[in-house]
Each structure stands twice: as structure tokens, then as C-alpha cells.
Amino acid sequence: MKYQQYICEICGEPYLGVGAPSRCPFCGAFGVRIVEAEKWEPLWGGEISEAARTHLEAALQLEVGNTNFYRNVSKAPGVVQDQKMFKALSKIEREHAEVIVRFLGAAMPDFESLETEADKARETIEENLAESHARETRAINAYKLAFSEVEDEKVKLFFGELIKIESDHLSLSE
Ligand SMILES: [Fe+2]
Ligand SMILES: [Fe+2]
């Protein structure tokens, strides 16, 4: 294998390496979704159904909230390795929001202005992990419902992959 460009099918971000990584460093998608650059085609950009739109809009709210929560926790006092883990989670959730916005043909929201009280860091690592667990569980349940209700092939694929990615996140707080 040679050093070359790969592109993630789920987030569209380019990756330079020798072989695809086990997870996309940007959106967390499983390595099988990372293809050689010349084989890549964007998932988004087509017409989407009303059902897809409704589920994507709900997903955007979850992803924005989770991005904000994880960013806040990454900046709260604590062990540096914990802060970095939350920073990575925040970046991944932001990437998910970016993909959703592309599916919706919308503009990127102003994340900080959408921040709520619930997105503030908790006092202890245990509380932050518990909150993370609750958020990932909520997202997984919402995406499972979306996966069962949406018929648009590409949106369905996206929700299917999100379920796996957020399940990876859930395992971090177990
Ligand atoms: Fe990705
Ligand atoms: Fe996410």
C-alpha cells in the first residue's frame, strides 16, 4: 500500500495515509466507509423527503447541543486526558452537524448562540460522563427511529452510520 488520499463517505473529509484508519478521524465513521479518493461521491446534495428533513432537523439540534456540551467540558477544570477526549467528541459532533447542514442545504448555525444551561459542564468527571451517556443514548434512540422511518437511501445510510459512531461514544462512558 502507498501513501495516498482517502475520503470519508460519511463526512467527505480527506485523509492522507497508508491504508484507511479504523475510524474516520473527523466524524468517527467506521473504516469501511473511508474510500480511495477517486472512488468517492458525496452523499448529500440530492432532493430529500419531508420525513428525512424532519429527522435531520431534530438530529441537528442534538448534534449542536452535544458539540456545545463536549466543548464546555473540554474547557472545564479536570485531567488533561479527559479534557482532550471531550475535545475530540466535540469535534466529531460538530462534523456530524456539518454533514446534516449539507443534507438540508442550510447554513451552519452559530453554535455558541444556541448554547443552553443544559450544555454547561457539570462539577465532576462522573457527572460529565453520566451526562455524556444520557446524550449519546438519546442520540442513538433518535437515529434508530430516523433509520426506521426514513426511506431516502443516502439519509438512511447516514443515520445507520451515526448509530454506530454514537455507540462507540457510549462505550467511552461505560
Ligand atoms: Fe468521516
Ligand atoms: Fe453525533
Side-chain angles (χ1 to χ4, degrees):
M1 269 190 286
K2 63 182 191 328
Y3 183 70
Q4 60 177 315
Q5 188 194 173
Y6 296 84
I7 301 179
C8 175
E9 284 183 323
I10 303 308
C11 70
E13 288 297 318
Y15 170 81
L16 297 173
V18 182
S22 69
R23 297 291 188 275
C24 172
F26 309 101
C27 75
F30 283 37
V32 290
R33 293 291 167 200
I34 302 169
V35 298
E36 291 174 8
E38 59 275 14
K39 295 183 185 147
W40 176 75
E41 279 176 45
L43 268 189
W44 45 87
E47 289 288 306
I48 56 168
S49 67
E50 258 330 289
R53 179 166 297 276
T54 303
H55 282 292
L56 285 165
E57 282 169 353
L60 182 58
Q61 282 197 11
L62 290 172
E63 296 293 344
V64 169
N66 292 351
T67 301
N68 285 335
F69 171 68
Y70 288 136
R71 188 191 58 251
N72 287 334
V73 180
S74 77
K75 291 178 177 173
V79 175
V80 67
Q81 286 84 350
D82 293 336
Q83 292 170 330
K84 285 184 185 294
M85 181 182 80
F86 287 113
K87 181 181 181 182
L89 288 168
S90 181
K91 289 170 83 170
I92 289 174
E93 305 299 24
R94 189 184 171 89
E95 194 68 48
H96 296 169
E98 271 188 46
V99 178
I100 294 168
V101 157
R102 281 185 227 132
F103 269 118
L104 291 169
M108 249 327 235
D110 175 9
F111 283 67
E112 307 213 354
S113 75
L114 294 171
E115 200 176 302
T116 67
E117 263 320 288
D119 298 334
K120 296 240 157 47
R122 308 301 192 263
E123 293 288 314
T124 64
I125 180 72
E126 289 76 17
E127 288 171 289
N128 284 320
L129 287 171
E131 176 62 15
S132 165
H133 204 270
R135 283 170 178 265
E136 297 295 348
T137 303
R138 196 183 309 144
I140 291 165
N141 290 336
Y143 302 160
K144 281 184 176 166
L145 183 66
F147 185 83
S148 71
E149 290 187 354
V150 171
E151 286 174 1
D152 313 42
E153 213 179 299
K154 292 176 175 178
V155 179
K156 199 178 176 76
L157 173 88
F158 176 62
F159 277 119
E161 294 306 306
L162 282 184
I163 293 166
K164 296 181 207 162
I165 299 166
E166 312 297 8
S167 299
D168 260 353
H169 296 173
L170 199 59
S171 72
L172 287 174
S173 58
E174 269 158 5

